């Protein structure tokens, strides 16, 4: 069963590669995509191939000089930074929500005590 799950994850990740290359993934999609890429050698290889073909062809058509491996490494590093920032804000939002809930509960208790006493 585990192998089928991995296959499905790989198929989903492979479908996300064009959106990654064109920087069209949402933060949540990017987070899942990067987690999978960190764990899966086969998908990283597929990403590398598709990146080299897509970006390489565009660079050739534009007549630009390029280092595709460096460009891929830069794109992956930028994605890692985006995921890190996304996680930071997501955790910060969770903490603020907890503080808000605690404040509402405290206010409710104080109101009950005020009316009861």
């Amino acid at each position: 069963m585990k192998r089928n799950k991995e296959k499905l994850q790989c198929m989903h990740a492979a479908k996300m590669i064009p959106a990654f290359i064109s920087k069209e993934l949402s933060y949540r999609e990017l987070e899942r995509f990067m987690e999978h890429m960190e764990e899966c050698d086969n998908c990283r290889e597929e990403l590398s191939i598709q990146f080299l073909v897509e970006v390489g062809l565009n660079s050739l058509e534009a007549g630009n000089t390029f280092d595709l491996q460096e460009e891929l490494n830069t794109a992956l590093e930028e994605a890692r930074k985006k995921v890190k920032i996304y996680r930071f804000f997501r955790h910060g939002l969770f903490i603020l929500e907890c503080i808000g809930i605690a404040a509402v509960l405290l206010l409710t208790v104080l109101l009950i005590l005020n009316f009861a006493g």
Side-chain angles (χ1 to χ4, degrees), residues 57-88:
L57 286 176
N58 289 339
S59 295
L60 284 173
E61 288 175 359
N64 298 331
T65 59
F66 51 88
D67 179 351
L68 292 176
Q69 189 59 51
E70 184 60 33
E71 287 184 40
L72 175 58
N73 292 341
T74 300
L76 289 169
E77 187 57 35
E78 287 174 5
R80 284 184 197 98
K81 288 177 184 176
K82 284 181 183 179
V83 168
K84 189 175 181 178
I85 291 168
Y86 170 71
R87 286 180 179 159
F88 173 79

Side-chain angles (χ1 to χ4, degrees), residues 44-55:
R44 271 196 315 276
E45 179 72 22
E46 181 63 26
L47 170 62
S48 180
I49 291 167
Q50 287 190 40
F51 187 88
L52 295 175
V53 168
E54 178 72 24
V55 175

Side-chain angles (χ1 to χ4, degrees), residues 10-11 17 25-26 39 41 44 46 52 63-64 68 74 81 85 99-101 114:
C10 290
M11 288 173 51
I17 290 173
L25 294 177
S26 70
E39 299 171 357
D41 293 335
R44 271 196 315 276
E46 181 63 26
L52 295 175
N64 298 331
L68 292 176
T74 300
K81 288 177 184 176
I85 291 168
I99 291 170
I101 291 169
N114 189 32

Side-chain angles (χ1 to χ4, degrees), residues 12-52:
H12 185 67
K15 289 179 182 178
M16 296 172 80
I17 290 173
F20 171 79
I21 292 171
S22 60
K23 299 180 181 183
E24 296 174 353
L25 294 177
S26 70
Y27 285 105
R28 185 168 295 289
E29 290 170 328
L30 183 61
E31 180 180 35
R32 287 189 300 231
F33 179 79
M34 292 301 294
E35 285 173 356
H36 185 76
M37 288 299 144
E38 296 292 328
E39 299 171 357
C40 185
D41 293 335
N42 291 333
C43 288
R44 271 196 315 276
E45 179 72 22
E46 181 63 26
L47 170 62
S48 180
I49 291 167
Q50 287 190 40
F51 187 88
L52 295 175

Side-chain angles (χ1 to χ4, degrees), residues 84-100:
K84 189 175 181 178
I85 291 168
Y86 170 71
R87 286 180 179 159
F88 173 79
F89 282 113
R90 191 176 66 210
H91 292 299
L93 183 59
F94 175 75
I95 291 169
L96 288 175
E97 288 172 348
C98 290
I99 291 170

